[in-house]
């Protein structure tokens, strides 16, 4: 089994390894039908479904997003290896926490970790082309839309396209305050 991801911190947030023990805090988010519209799976019907969903998978590392001084998970960020030097990122945040800059702060810290601490050369992200909030976050962080993959995902809302975004280490370094 892969080592647990390291704890990462920002001024307001603490990103720690996600655990099935976070199910109670995250179930309301994962049961929210509107929030889950753009997720690859539908809303969760039970706490046990959420607990099972949060079990570690070998290909991905997940960090619970928490506030410093409060260990309750607000959402998570994740990183999955695609090939040597290339990582895919993902994120989800409970709706009650939207509009506070939390997702941006958490993803920024994750990108710093991936590029500057791990030395990755490229980070990618895919999102539904209709998920305006996710696309706006990626674009504000400097990701470039690299293409639309047609009929890429079969999800609970049907077959969906993917907007594929990419960010290179040098591009991030030019924008980042941390080098």
């Amino acid at each position: 089994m892969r080592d647990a991801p390291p704890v990462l911190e920002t001024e307001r947030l603490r990103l720690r390894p996600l655990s099935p023990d976070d199910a109670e805090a995250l179930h309301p988010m994962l049961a929210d039908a509107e929030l889950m519209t753009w997720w690859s799976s539908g809303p969760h019907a039970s706490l046990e479904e959420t607990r099972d969903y949060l079990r570690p998978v070998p290909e991905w590392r997940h960090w619970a997003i928490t506030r410093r001084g409060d260990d309750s998970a607000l959402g998570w960020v994740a990183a999955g290896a695609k090939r040597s030097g290339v990582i895919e990122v993902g994120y989800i945040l409970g709706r009650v926490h939207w509009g506070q800059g939390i997702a941006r702060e958490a993803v920024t810290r994750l990108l710093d970790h991936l590029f500057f601490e791990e030395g990755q050369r490229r980070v990618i992200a895919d999102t539904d082309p209709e998920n305006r909030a996710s696309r706006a976050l990626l674009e504000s962080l400097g990701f470039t839309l690299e293409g639309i993959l047609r009929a890429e995902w079969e999800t609970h809302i049907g077959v969906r396209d993917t907007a594929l975004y990419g960010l290179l280490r040098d591009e991030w370094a030019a924008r980042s305050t941390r080098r």
Side-chain angles (χ1 to χ4, degrees), residues 1-7 16-18 56 60-63 113 118:
M1 183 164 165
R2 148 175 283 168
D3 291 338
V7 172
R16 57 148 174 89
L18 185 69
W60 284 84
R61 295 172 286 163
H62 291 81
W63 288 262
H113 174 72
E118 291 188 3

Side-chain angles (χ1 to χ4, degrees), residues 35-49:
L35 186 148
M36 296 295 285
T37 299
W38 308 121
W39 205 247
S40 56
S41 59
H44 292 191
S46 70
L47 182 60
E48 193 53 41
E49 182 180 0

Side-chain angles (χ1 to χ4, degrees), residues 85-103:
V86 180
I87 299 287
E88 181 177 354
V89 296
Y91 43 84
I92 190 167
L93 186 66
R95 187 196 322 237
V96 299
H97 308 292
W98 291 0
Q100 301 171 38
I102 292 171

Side-chain angles (χ1 to χ4, degrees), residues 86-87 89 111 115 121-126 138-139 141-147 163-169 171-172:
V86 180
I87 299 287
V89 296
L111 292 171
F115 285 130
R121 68 179 161 80
R122 174 174 162 76
V123 172
I124 62 172
D126 77 63
L138 292 169
E139 290 168 9
L141 291 169
F143 280 82
T144 298
L145 177 62
E146 296 181 338
L164 183 63
Y165 283 85
L167 180 65
L168 304 177
R169 181 177 44 226
E171 295 168 338
W172 184 247

Side-chain angles (χ1 to χ4, degrees), residues 102-160:
I102 292 171
R104 180 181 179 81
E105 189 172 330
V107 175
T108 294
R109 180 61 184 99
L110 179 59
L111 292 171
D112 282 346
H113 174 72
L114 295 172
F115 285 130
F116 303 141
E117 295 163 34
E118 291 188 3
Q120 304 297 336
R121 68 179 161 80
R122 174 174 162 76
V123 172
I124 62 172
D126 77 63
T127 190
D128 191 290
E130 293 182 32
N131 187 344
R132 290 186 194 103
S134 184
R135 292 184 73 174
L137 175 62
L138 292 169
E139 290 168 9
S140 76
L141 291 169
F143 280 82
T144 298
L145 177 62
E146 296 181 338
I148 301 293
L149 305 177
R150 298 175 300 146
E152 178 71 1
W153 290 100
E154 189 169 341
T155 76
H156 60 288
I157 61 170
V159 174
R160 305 298 296 175

